[in-house]
Amino acid sequence: MLDLRTFRPWNDGRRRGPRVGAASGTTLRTRLGPVLGAMLGGALLLGLAGSPLAAEAQAPSPIPVQTPLPEPPAEAALLLSSGDKLTMVVFGQTDLTGEYVVDAVGDLNLPLVGRVRVAGLSPEQAETLVRTRLNDGFLRSATVSLRLSEMKPVYVLGEVRSPGSYTYRYGLTVLGAVALAGGGRVGDRSITELKAEVLTARERLRSLELARLAQRARQLRLEAQRDGRTSFVSDELIGPEATALLRGEQEIFSLQRETERSEVGLLRQQVERLETERASLTQQRSLIDEQVKLTEAQVRNYARLTDNGHGLQTIMVDRQRENARVRAELARIDADLARNATASGEMTLRQRDTENGHRRRVVADLQATRQQLLETEASLPIARDLLESRVRRLAASDGGSEATGWSVEVTRTLRDGAVTFKAALTSVLLPGDVVQVSPAKTGTAERPAPAPARDGAAAPGPVSQAVPALRSSFETP
């Protein structure tokens, strides 16, 4: 195959005259040379146009795509490190119970056992290690509870309005962290302020929706307690968040119901014991009453003998003394019956007060929950309208011009060290994460690797895109 870079026409691009002394055939060949050269050159060009070399020359260069690291699993980051504050409770050992901080080298300095290396362990593993150390010559069958009392904050850096550290909350996403930091500082300042307002409105709407779910689940639990039901279910609250809330309310329902049954059961046992005692005292009184009647009859009969001169005065006195003793025993039994009746009445009142107290507390909580639910439901339409209005303002302020999106990188400390990965706006953060927000590079398509979510679904959406793509994520209800 010929190469255009080395190909030249027969006449070398210059017109040549007839050679002196040449034949007429030579003259004709000389005149046809340029024409044949042009035809051959055109055919070669058409052939090379379909060749791989021409296709390679005409194909545009692809846009480079950066392949980020996959997001590490969240469970791998729930490990202890320096700065974590732990609360340790050792049953029966008040001197060992307290709060401890993991020092710079990753140790806990505990009484008796000294320094224990917990860095890189989960709270459960650290609890097992501390229990083992305490049982190794210090305590016998120690019961240890170790939990994380204060979580490390998240750090937001880069193109945000207020970089710094912020208190971690469960379920905090990259979008929420950027909102806490005042929004992004990319492009025009007015656009940035509108983005921050949209983020704030979205977080407000999300908080109201979660509050409504929690209040509705609490209302169902309180209504079941008020009606005396043994359980409660709901077909209107669906989804993982609603399921978790209902599970928590079910645990509270079971605990409070068991507590109420225990208190009322103890009082009912006391009332039954007093009733049994009253029955016994009543039976004793009937027997002693018969003894009183017998002794009185003996006194009367012996008095007639004494009057006739057939009885002794000393025996008469003994009979009267016995009658007085039996009458005193009858009076004591009557006093015990009175005290029993008083105690039984008081215990019955306490039982009813306990039952009514639980019911009054449930009714008061139910009324307060209904009021809160009404306020939340009244605020939800306003929050939705506010979010929609701010999204429209953001869309109008954009003016259709191409803007630079955000590129978000999260640095997370794992067992083997720190790992940096691309994150989506909906990625869930963990304590101690460092969020770096920077403008996306123009002309590049930075796509975060699809990391599996906790329920196995793929994490939604890229983060380094233009403003229209970012706005579409805001408009998602």
Side-chain angles (χ1 to χ4, degrees):
M1 181 179 294
L2 293 178
D3 192 352
L4 289 177
R5 293 172 291 185
T6 60
F7 173 76
R8 293 180 182 176
W10 292 346
N11 60 353
D12 198 18
R14 294 187 299 271
R15 184 176 181 181
R16 296 180 180 179
R19 295 173 59 183
V20 180
S24 59
T26 304
T27 303
L28 180 59
R29 187 167 54 250
T30 304
R31 292 179 180 178
L32 294 178
V35 178
L36 294 175
M39 294 176 62
L40 183 58
L44 288 174
L45 288 175
L46 291 175
L48 290 174
S51 65
L53 180 61
E56 182 179 358
Q58 293 176 2
S61 60
I63 297 176
V65 177
Q66 297 183 3
T67 303
L69 292 172
E71 181 177 348
E75 291 77 5
L78 297 177
L79 304 176
L80 299 178
S81 59
S82 299
D84 286 334
K85 182 179 289 187
L86 304 174
T87 298
M88 186 178 73
V89 177
V90 182
F91 182 75
Q93 301 292 330
T94 57
D95 295 337
L96 297 177
T97 300
E99 290 189 348
Y100 301 90
V101 179
V102 182
D103 58 17
V105 296
D107 293 347
L108 282 178
N109 193 3
L110 303 177
L112 294 180
V113 300
R115 307 182 69 86
V116 179
R117 179 64 54 88
V118 297
L121 302 179
S122 64
E124 294 77 9
Q125 293 173 339
E127 177 181 322
T128 303
L129 179 59
V130 172
R131 184 187 303 111
T132 303
R133 293 288 297 274
L134 287 175
N135 290 334
D136 188 11
F138 297 101
L139 298 177
R140 178 179 297 176
S141 300
T143 302
V144 181
S145 174
L146 193 67
R147 64 180 179 86
L148 192 63
S149 59
E150 183 176 330
M151 295 178 290
K152 294 188 289 293
V154 293
Y155 304 91
V156 186
L157 308 174
E159 295 296 330
V160 291
R161 299 184 65 181
S162 301
S165 61
Y166 295 91
T167 303
Y168 178 80
R169 298 175 299 173
Y170 283 108
L172 181 66
T173 61
V174 172
L175 197 65
V178 174
L180 292 175
R185 229 174 357 101
V186 180
D188 187 10
R189 186 173 182 81
S190 60
I191 300 294
T192 303
E193 293 176 355
L194 291 177
K195 288 180 181 179
E197 292 177 357
V198 170
L199 292 172
T200 304
R202 183 178 177 83
E203 287 292 322
R204 171 62 177 169
L205 178 60
R206 183 62 175 165
S207 299
L208 288 174
E209 290 174 347
L210 290 177
R212 181 189 176 279
L213 287 176
Q215 291 162 4
R216 180 57 181 157
R218 189 182 307 119
Q219 180 185 10
L220 293 174
R221 187 254 300 173
L222 292 172
E223 289 176 350
Q225 287 181 314
R226 179 201 60 187
D227 299 338
R229 298 197 299 266
T230 57
S231 63
F232 70 96
V233 293
S234 173
D235 297 333
E236 59 178 292
L237 300 181
I238 57 176
E241 296 172 345
T243 303
L245 290 172
L246 286 175
R247 188 183 301 112
E249 293 296 334
Q250 185 68 44
E251 292 177 358
I252 297 175
F253 175 80
S254 301
L255 179 61
Q256 292 186 355
R257 183 169 178 270
E258 186 65 27
T259 302
E260 180 181 359
R261 290 177 57 185
S262 177
E263 293 179 0
V264 174
L266 290 176
L267 294 175
R268 187 177 291 112
Q269 290 177 2
Q270 295 292 330
V271 172
E272 293 175 355
R273 184 184 62 81
L274 291 173
E275 290 177 353
T276 303
E277 183 180 353
R278 180 190 303 177
S280 176
L281 290 174
T282 302
Q283 185 178 4
Q284 292 181 17
R285 188 186 186 286
S286 63
L287 295 176
I288 294 176
D289 190 35
E290 292 179 0
Q291 292 181 6
V292 169
K293 292 178 182 179
L294 290 175
T295 55
E296 288 178 350
Q298 289 178 357
V299 169
R300 286 193 302 269
N301 293 333
Y302 203 81
R304 285 195 297 269
L305 291 175
T306 303
D307 294 339
N308 295 329
H310 298 289
L312 298 177
Q313 188 65 28
T314 56
I315 297 177
M316 181 64 182
V317 171
D318 292 338
R319 298 291 174 84
Q320 292 177 346
R321 185 182 297 113
E322 180 66 17
N323 178 260
R325 186 188 65 78
V326 174
R327 293 176 65 86
E329 184 68 17
L330 180 62
R332 185 186 65 79
I333 294 297
D334 289 338
D336 291 342
L337 281 173
R339 284 193 296 270
N340 180 273
T342 301
S344 179
E346 293 178 352
M347 196 62 62
T348 303
L349 286 177
R350 285 183 59 185
Q351 177 183 346
R352 293 178 180 177
D353 287 342
T354 302
E355 296 174 350
N356 294 333
H358 284 286
R359 189 173 293 108
R360 284 194 300 268
R361 184 165 56 253
V362 167
V363 171
D365 292 344
L366 180 59
Q367 183 177 1
T369 301
R370 286 175 174 173
Q371 182 66 28
Q372 294 172 0
L373 185 59
L374 289 176
E375 295 175 357
T376 303
E377 291 179 343
S379 301
L380 273 172
I382 300 175
R384 292 193 184 99
D385 294 341
L386 180 61
L387 176 60
E388 184 178 356
S389 173
R390 290 181 175 178
V391 169
R392 285 198 301 265
R393 287 177 58 192
L394 177 62
S397 301
D398 183 25
S401 60
E402 184 178 358
T404 304
W406 288 348
S407 174
V408 181
E409 293 183 351
V410 175
T411 301
R412 181 171 295 171
T413 303
L414 302 177
R415 184 190 301 269
D416 299 330
V419 175
T420 301
F421 57 91
K422 295 290 182 181
L425 293 174
T426 54
S427 295
V428 179
L429 298 176
L430 292 175
D433 281 355
V434 180
V435 182
Q436 177 72 34
V437 182
S438 58
K441 297 180 181 179
T442 305
T444 61
E446 301 184 29
R447 298 182 177 88
R454 300 203 177 219
D455 55 354
V463 295
S464 299
Q465 297 181 1
V467 169
L470 183 62
R471 190 186 312 120
S472 66
S473 67
F474 293 154
E475 294 174 350
T476 303

